[in-house]
Amino acid sequence: MLNPADADFLTALPQALLRPVRPSDVEEPRGRWQGQGRAVACPQSAEDVAALIRAARAARVGLVPLGGGTGLVGGQILTDGPAPLILSLERMTALRAVYPQENALVADAGAVLADVQAAAETVDRLFPLTLASQGSARIGGLLATNAGGVNVLRYGNARDLVLGIEAVLADGSILRGLKRLRKDNAGYDLRHLLIGSEGTLGVITAASLKLFPRPAAEGAAFLVVESPEAALALLALAQDRLPGMISAFELIHRQGLEFLAETMPQVRQPFATRPEWMVLVDLGLPLGIDPEAALSGLYEAAGNLVQDGVIAASAAQRAEFWALREAIPAANRKIGAVSSHDISLPLSEIPVFLQQAGPLLARIGQFRVNCFGHLGDGNLHYNVFPMPGRTRADHENQREAVKTCVHDLVHGLGGSVSAEHGVGRLKVGDLERYGDPVKLATMRAIKQALDPDGILNPGAVLRG
Amino acid sequence: MLNPADADFLTALPQALLRPVRPSDVEEPRGRWQGQGRAVACPQSAEDVAALIRAARAARVGLVPLGGGTGLVGGQILTDGPAPLILSLERMTALRAVYPQENALVADAGAVLADVQAAAETVDRLFPLTLASQGSARIGGLLATNAGGVNVLRYGNARDLVLGIEAVLADGSILRGLKRLRKDNAGYDLRHLLIGSEGTLGVITAASLKLFPRPAAEGAAFLVVESPEAALALLALAQDRLPGMISAFELIHRQGLEFLAETMPQVRQPFATRPEWMVLVDLGLPLGIDPEAALSGLYEAAGNLVQDGVIAASAAQRAEFWALREAIPAANRKIGAVSSHDISLPLSEIPVFLQQAGPLLARIGQFRVNCFGHLGDGNLHYNVFPMPGRTRADHENQREAVKTCVHDLVHGLGGSVSAEHGVGRLKVGDLERYGDPVKLATMRAIKQALDPDGILNPGAVLRG
């Protein structure tokens, strides 16, 4: 059992590293939970982090690492049990070095994603991790949760963008792994173990990140398709014609467009009649291939796979297309979901899932479903909303049934109920229900070996 | 302390799974070590592997997993201590399923790489892992060692080509992780922990692998450069002009061409005068870009970075270029190296390394150096040979000094002394000398937690 981070514990810490708790430290974007904590520690170096962890371990006090606070599964929020020390990386924002010739950049874990993107752009390179929260999400949190986003199809998940990490482990030792090597088979890959462990095995303090050439030209189109099957066929066609050039392939359902019309009428919609399904195709192209020509070529080759389309005629219009896509989660929040699901499926099972999920949900009640997301990665956000005139509060007693219905179906089709958001505290029970028991036992053995007192992000991923 | 796999132990195993030891089971390609073992177990399923591991654990007998036996660091060979049970995956060669629409393939761990490549080709897809031993290397060994090869620049290391794995752990439990998902953040990434652990944490029994579109066209050129600096500048230029289209970028030194001329005169050399340095650039291109035009465009744009060049005029000529490149290791073996080094460096440190290594080695003795390899990945094979008329045996007492000289320099420049071949048994001491102590302690804690009796590949990676 852990002890609370009480006055005695806090008094013994270096006071210069502490600040009071602000409301934003203990809230999360969907407003589901209220966290707790009496103080926030703001280290300025890996050595500071190590000292704080050693103090916490000696006192058996839990530590909750905090990045930008944009996580959607409560990994940054401890709602009950002994009050933890919140460990914010907000003062460790340095971009330590940029190596344009090596396509590498070394950043402190508190660096905000948008700042890393901008630093890469300054040297004519691309750091491709892209998601709606990039203006506040910090590198440490993005790696701890192995963030996804819209460019995974082309560049991979966050873990695929990392050459090396520096992290502080539960005994206060500092793992110095900031190498800038493309190949390094010198022992177990602890980088990938820590990435995605959501702060339960160590606190990432810095990372060396991969940069990429910036595409010579970019382009985007909204293309109307009849069904998810047609969208998948279009994806295969696009990959054949434009291999390695498709940066994103996003599925959007009419429900999302209707929520936008209802809650954010200022967002311009691309088609006079809102289509049942459409995709946003985004291209990054080398010299010599024209985006509009590539997209109109795809449109023509698609034949009756595509019913209508609009190709961005300028960078401004492409930005407008993306603004619509990125506004969908905000509109969803204004409507208020009964239950949100961050799922992934083998690509060929997506149509099966979508055919079966609706009828299964109808047995529970009447809902509106907004299904959208990263079709190219098999990652959908399948979010269930009340009918007009009702609110999420009206469905409070159905939330668990809705979630279980969706997750059981996903699991039965070989999918994951945590595609890109992670487990956090929201899905600890799901992991126990759906996770391979051998995987869970192995995770617990590793957690026990590396953090025997359970001080690092207690209750996240694994039950404490 | 482990017990030997003696007659009593072997008699109690299912006899249908056993066969006698053949010489090839206990040899390795460079003929450095002679392994031991009284029997080879050849399981036909993950359940067989589990039963064998449970028996070994109960008897505290060591198990050495054996794939194609092509490893270069002795990971597949136990030379001393109690005789282990050799566990060969040779009967588990099924290609379980191919999913062309999903760009995925599921293979048993005993499948030979060339067969996986061929199965992908049958459905017009590419499995890009490519290395000289692909006709014998098996998927399980390739993943256990996180193999590299010539296409890492474009497609990543072996670990980057894996969607999921099935593996048997040291307690005989079967980790069922054969998902075909591009995004899955449901708990710690055990896949990446097992990949590259060289059979010390579990035995991989199957994998779901990523496939890729086959390039519409391919091309290759030998380009003569003055120096490694010029080769790096050419690489940067090529990446700018042909982003994501460079499949390989291999550096070749004159010494390699001379060894070829000496030991394999039938290999046709591209230039009448053997150049000091040249690169082999290999392209995989989408529809609409002509390989010869792309390569001659690169040649012209390179200006005085490139002194001479020859562009393959046909698929046969491209194959001939690659045959030369792949013959270099064979020629090296005929000469007989004093010491071979599989190193990686940050790209910008490569010229520094090459400037400093020669003079440092000259303090030890007179040698010929053949430096070649995957420049695009910062991965060089820096192999040290006797002068003409002398043999490796003449330098037996200098081998350690040569290795230490090269490895100290690499380590000091932020590189790795095990880039793609792994640690095996050859580099256990190097890992102890150069590895981050915190990383080593963490590796030992994980090994202890998952294999407390130390039965899995004893003495590989970590000292037993």
Side-chain angles (χ1 to χ4, degrees), chain A residues 102 145-146 149 157 176 179 182-186 188 200 245 286 344 348 374 379 415-416 418 420 436 439, chain B residues 102 145-146 149 157 176 179 182-186 188 200 245 344 348 374 379 415-416 418 420 436 439:
Chain A
E102 294 182 13
T145 58
N146 185 30
N157 294 285
R176 301 197 185 272
K179 290 198 168 174
R182 306 274 159 172
K183 282 181 172 172
D184 183 15
N185 275 342
Y188 302 165
T200 63
M245 302 176 208
S344 63
S348 56
H374 322 298
N379 174 202
S416 171
S418 173
E420 61 174 4
D436 176 28
K439 176 173 179 175
Chain B
E102 294 181 13
T145 58
N146 184 32
N157 293 285
R176 300 197 186 271
K179 291 199 169 174
R182 304 276 160 172
K183 281 182 173 171
D184 183 14
N185 275 343
Y188 303 165
T200 63
M245 302 176 209
S344 64
S348 56
H374 322 298
N379 174 203
S416 171
S418 173
E420 61 173 5
D436 176 28
K439 176 173 180 175

Side-chain angles (χ1 to χ4, degrees), chain A residues 180-181, chain B residues 343-347 349-350 353 377-378 380 410 413 415-416:
Chain A
R180 310 190 308 275
L181 303 174
Chain B
I343 62 172
S344 64
L345 288 155
L347 286 186
E349 302 289 1
I350 287 177
F353 168 78
D377 314 318
L380 299 176
V410 166
L413 293 169
S416 171

Side-chain angles (χ1 to χ4, degrees), chain A residues 101-103 125 145-149 152 157 159-160 169 173-176 179-193 196-198 200-201 213 239-241 243 245 286 289 344-349 374 376-377 379 411 414-416 418-423 431 436 438-439 442-443 445-447 449-450 461-462, chain B residues 101-103 125 145-149 152 157 159-160 169 173-176 179-193 196-198 200-201 213 239-241 243 245 286 289 344-349 374 376-377 379 411 414-416 418-423 431 436 438-439 442-443 445-447 449-450 461-462:
Chain A
Q101 277 73 30
E102 294 182 13
N103 282 309
R125 293 292 186 277
T145 58
N146 185 30
V152 173
N157 294 285
R159 70 168 68 256
D160 301 308
L169 306 182
S173 61
I174 303 175
L175 181 73
R176 301 197 185 272
K179 290 198 168 174
R180 310 190 308 275
L181 303 174
R182 306 274 159 172
K183 282 181 172 172
D184 183 15
N185 275 342
Y188 302 165
D189 198 321
L190 303 183
R191 165 190 55 158
H192 279 305
L193 182 64
S197 70
E198 306 188 26
T200 63
L201 298 178
Q239 285 177 314
D240 272 359
R241 292 178 61 93
M245 302 176 208
I289 302 187
S344 63
L345 289 155
L347 285 186
S348 56
E349 302 289 1
H374 322 298
D377 315 317
N379 174 202
H411 179 69
S416 171
S418 173
E420 61 174 4
H421 294 166
V423 176
L431 190 61
D436 176 28
V438 174
K439 176 173 179 175
T442 307
M443 286 170 56
I446 292 170
K447 172 73 174 174
L450 302 189
V461 186
L462 294 169
Chain B
Q101 277 74 29
E102 294 181 13
N103 282 311
R125 294 292 185 278
T145 58
N146 184 32
V152 173
N157 293 285
R159 70 168 69 255
D160 302 307
L169 306 182
S173 61
I174 303 175
L175 181 74
R176 300 197 186 271
K179 291 199 169 174
R180 310 190 308 275
L181 304 174
R182 304 276 160 172
K183 281 182 173 171
D184 183 14
N185 275 343
Y188 303 165
D189 199 321
L190 302 183
R191 166 189 53 158
H192 280 305
L193 182 64
S197 69
E198 306 187 26
T200 63
L201 298 177
Q239 285 177 314
D240 271 358
R241 291 178 62 92
M245 302 176 209
I289 302 187
S344 64
L345 288 155
L347 286 186
S348 56
E349 302 289 1
H374 322 298
D377 314 318
N379 174 203
H411 180 69
S416 171
S418 173
E420 61 173 5
H421 294 166
V423 175
L431 191 60
D436 176 28
V438 174
K439 176 173 180 175
T442 307
M443 287 170 57
I446 292 170
K447 171 75 173 173
L450 302 189
V461 186
L462 295 169

Side-chain angles (χ1 to χ4, degrees), chain B residues 333-410:
Chain B
R333 272 172 225 166
K334 291 189 185 190
I335 301 288
V338 175
S339 185
S340 301
H341 312 97
D342 164 43
I343 62 172
S344 64
L345 288 155
L347 286 186
S348 56
E349 302 289 1
I350 287 177
V352 182
F353 168 78
L354 290 172
Q355 278 155 24
Q356 297 187 358
L360 288 170
L361 280 176
R363 294 189 201 163
I364 301 172
Q366 269 199 299
F367 302 103
R368 291 178 292 178
V369 171
N370 185 11
C371 173
F372 66 103
H374 322 298
L375 187 70
D377 314 318
N379 174 203
L380 299 176
H381 300 302
Y382 188 89
N383 295 358
V384 178
F385 295 84
M387 297 298 283
R390 308 201 68 189
T391 71
R392 55 188 295 184
D394 298 330
H395 296 282
E396 204 59 44
N397 60 347
Q398 291 172 317
R399 174 172 300 154
E400 198 62 27
V402 167
K403 188 191 77 170
T404 303
C405 167
V406 173
H407 284 182
D408 280 358
L409 181 58
V410 166

